[in-house]
Amino acid sequence: QVQMVESGGGLVQAGGSLRLSCTASGLSFDDYAMGWFRQAPGKEREGVSCTSRSGGSTYYADSVKGRFTVSRDNAKNTLYLQMNSLKPEDTAVYYCAAGRFTGWSLNPASFGAWGQGTQVTVSS
């Protein structure tokens, strides 16, 4: 059974930083591209970042480019999202997701396994 557990969310002031982690089990982690998504109240889920199976390729939504960094440790079955210079508009529930495809994608339909989410709140 695939399980993905996010951690690291919390409350931070604008301009601050957080590091999210997502630990996966029940799958061959390095066979999956991994992504971070977020969903704010009343809004659709949006792709934030994606990393290829090896971690050699990464992609970011324009809204977070230059502020967020995605990485993965395949030996630890763990995905990370370093978030710097946080803004109030970054407030959302953040989800990690796994997809069995080559390359990268920010389309939620490309991902078949999801974590339960972790809340990130950025105060102004």
Side-chain angles (χ1 to χ4, degrees), residues 4-7 19-24 29 32-37 49-52 55 58 69-74 76-82 95-98 111:
M4 299 169 66
V5 180
E6 300 97 336
S7 61
R19 189 194 196 202
L20 305 184
S21 299
C22 169
T23 301
F29 189 71
Y32 288 79
M34 298 295 297
W36 286 101
F37 293 79
S49 181
C50 179
T51 176
S52 62
T58 56
T69 303
V70 65
S71 62
R72 64 190 294 165
D73 186 337
N74 285 351
K76 295 182 178 179
N77 283 13
T78 301
L79 175 73
Y80 304 98
L81 185 69
Q82 178 66 45
Y95 300 88
C96 65
F111 295 82

Side-chain angles (χ1 to χ4, degrees), residues 9-13 18 86-88 90-92 94 119-123:
L11 173 64
V12 64
Q13 288 189 332
L18 284 174
L86 282 161
K87 305 175 181 180
D90 294 318
T91 295
Y94 283 71
Q119 177 70 47
V120 171
T121 303
V122 184
S123 63

Side-chain angles (χ1 to χ4, degrees), residues 1-65:
Q1 180 179 356
V2 175
Q3 188 172 13
M4 299 169 66
V5 180
E6 300 97 336
S7 61
L11 173 64
V12 64
Q13 288 189 332
S17 298
L18 284 174
R19 189 194 196 202
L20 305 184
S21 299
C22 169
T23 301
S25 59
L27 76 167
S28 297
F29 189 71
D30 55 6
D31 281 346
Y32 288 79
M34 298 295 297
W36 286 101
F37 293 79
R38 66 186 181 186
Q39 188 165 19
K43 295 188 176 181
E44 292 188 355
R45 189 168 297 191
E46 65 167 333
V48 173
S49 181
C50 179
T51 176
S52 62
R53 291 179 290 182
S54 68
S57 296
T58 56
Y59 187 80
Y60 300 91
D62 287 343
S63 58
V64 306
K65 202 172 294 183

